[in-house]
Amino acid sequence: MVKASTMIPESVFSISPNPRFFYVTPSVQAAIAKTQYVVRARQGLTTIIGDVGLGKTSLLRLLYNEYDDSPEFTAAFIVNPKQTSETAFLKAICTEFGVKTKRSQRETEYELRGFLIDEYQAGRNVVLFVDEAQQLKGPMFEQIRQILNFETDETKLINIVLAGQVELRYKLADRSKRALVSRIAVSSTLDALTPEETAGMIDFRCTVAGVKSPFDFEAVQVIYQWSRGIPREVIKLCAISVQYAALNGLKRIPADLVEAASADIVKPTEESGPSSRGTMKEARRA
C-alpha cells in the first residue's frame, strides 16, 4: 500500500523569478520603498545590489510589472546588458521603449530624448530597469550618465534602476564613475535570509499555492544551515526534498531526508562572494 505523498505543486519551489511567489523580507521591503521613492519623485537613478541568488531579478520583475501595468508609467526591462559598445547599449534601450534607432549615436540620443519629452508631456513617468548591471562596461556607464542628463528644470525625464551583484558596487567605486555615482539618489542592498525568514519564505510559498508546508521544524533548520539563507539555494533544496518525499510516500519531510537531498545539489561555497549578513555589510562599507 502506497502512502499519501506531500502533493506539493512543482511551481512552489521553482527557481524561475515568479513575482507571485516572491517573499518580501525587511531588506526587500526597504529596496522596494527606496525604488518607489526615486521613481515617484523622478530622482533619476537608483541601484539594488546583492549577491548571487538573493532575489534581485525577482524584485526587478515585481517592480517592472507594477509600473508596466499602470497607464501613468512607461517601463522597459533590459535582462542582460551584454552589448559590446555604448552605442549598442543605447540602441538596446531604444528598442525596449519602441524608439526608432539611427545610424549614429548622437542621432539615436536625439530620438530617445524626443520620446522622453513626449512621454513627459503626456504625463507618463518613464522607468528603465537593467538587470545584471555588473556586466556593464565603462562606456555604458557614461551612456547612462548622458541619458540622465535628459531633464527639465525641475525633474528627470527618465528613471533608471540598476540591479547587480556586489561587483557592481566595486565598479561604481572607480574614480572614473564619480560623475555617475553623484547622480545615484539612493542605493539598496539585499541581505541573506535569517533562520526566521527562511521558515517564513517556505511557509509563504506554500500558502500562495494553497498547500501546507511539509517541512518539520528541524528540516527547516537544516535547509537554512545548508543554504546560508540564500533564497535560491533554499528553493532548490526544498524542491529536491519534496521529490525525495514523494518517492518515499511521505507527507512530512524530516531533517534526515533534507540532509540526504542536499547531497544531490552543488553546495554554494564561501568563495562565491559575500552572501551572509556580515559579509554584505562589509561590502556595503567598501
Side-chain angles (χ1 to χ4, degrees):
M1 181 177 179
V2 179
K3 300 177 183 178
S5 68
T6 54
M7 297 299 291
I8 301 292
E10 291 184 3
S11 60
V12 177
F13 296 116
S14 168
I15 61 174
S16 297
N18 185 344
R20 178 168 171 253
F21 287 106
F22 188 52
Y23 181 63
V24 178
T25 63
S27 74
V28 169
Q29 185 58 59
I32 292 174
K34 291 177 184 179
T35 303
Q36 289 175 332
Y37 157 72
V38 171
V39 172
R40 183 176 63 252
R42 295 178 181 262
Q43 293 296 293
L45 180 62
T46 185
T47 60
I48 300 172
I49 296 175
D51 198 20
V52 176
L54 291 184
K56 298 180 298 297
T57 298
S58 295
L59 173 56
L60 245 59
R61 289 194 179 278
L62 181 74
L63 291 165
Y64 170 74
N65 289 343
E66 174 187 338
Y67 293 121
D68 191 49
D69 290 340
S70 172
E72 299 177 5
F73 295 88
T74 298
F77 195 120
I78 292 182
V79 177
N80 206 339
K82 286 189 174 181
Q83 291 75 26
T84 56
S85 69
E86 67 269 36
T87 301
F89 180 55
L90 173 63
K91 289 184 177 181
I93 293 172
C94 288
T95 298
E96 291 300 322
F97 281 121
V99 177
K100 292 183 179 180
T101 60
K102 300 293 184 179
R103 179 168 298 180
S104 74
Q105 181 173 335
R106 177 166 295 187
E107 289 177 318
T108 302
E109 286 180 349
Y110 181 81
E111 289 292 325
L112 178 59
R113 187 175 187 275
F115 163 77
L116 295 176
I117 291 174
D118 289 344
E119 291 297 296
Y120 175 73
Q121 292 176 340
R124 288 187 288 271
N125 195 337
V126 179
V127 191
L128 172 66
F129 295 92
V130 181
D131 199 7
E132 302 294 347
Q134 77 279 354
Q135 296 189 19
L136 292 168
K137 298 177 176 61
M140 297 179 189
F141 286 107
E142 175 59 19
Q143 184 64 71
I144 290 173
R145 187 190 70 80
Q146 292 180 22
I147 293 173
L148 288 169
N149 285 336
F150 297 157
E151 56 190 349
T152 69
D153 291 338
E154 302 165 344
T155 188
K156 299 289 185 182
L157 294 179
I158 186 171
N159 299 288
I160 300 177
V161 183
L162 300 180
Q165 297 172 22
V166 179
E167 182 187 352
L168 174 61
R169 188 187 303 280
Y170 300 137
K171 282 191 172 185
L172 291 172
D174 188 275
R175 289 179 62 84
S176 65
K177 312 294 191 310
R178 285 183 298 172
L180 176 63
V181 171
S182 69
R183 287 168 168 76
I184 299 176
V186 65
S187 182
S188 304
T189 299
L190 299 184
D191 292 322
L193 302 171
T194 65
E196 295 75 19
E197 290 167 351
T198 299
M201 186 184 77
I202 294 171
D203 287 340
F204 171 79
R205 294 178 76 98
C206 289
T207 298
V208 169
V211 296
K212 184 178 180 180
S213 172
F215 294 95
D216 288 346
F217 174 77
E218 292 77 11
V220 174
Q221 289 182 309
V222 172
I223 291 169
Y224 171 75
Q225 292 166 359
W226 184 90
S227 67
R228 295 184 288 118
I230 301 173
R232 185 181 299 161
E233 301 304 325
V234 171
I235 294 168
K236 286 162 56 177
L237 184 51
C238 285
I240 192 67
S241 297
V242 167
Q243 293 301 313
Y244 268 48
L247 288 172
N248 288 277
L250 300 177
K251 287 185 177 182
R252 299 293 299 169
I253 300 178
D256 59 349
L257 188 143
V258 174
E259 292 278 10
S262 69
D264 285 347
I265 306 176
V266 177
K267 187 172 184 177
T269 64
E270 296 292 345
E271 289 77 12
S272 64
S275 295
S276 67
R277 264 175 213 277
T279 50
M280 281 303 299
K281 287 179 180 177
E282 291 171 7
R284 190 183 295 118
R285 291 193 295 267

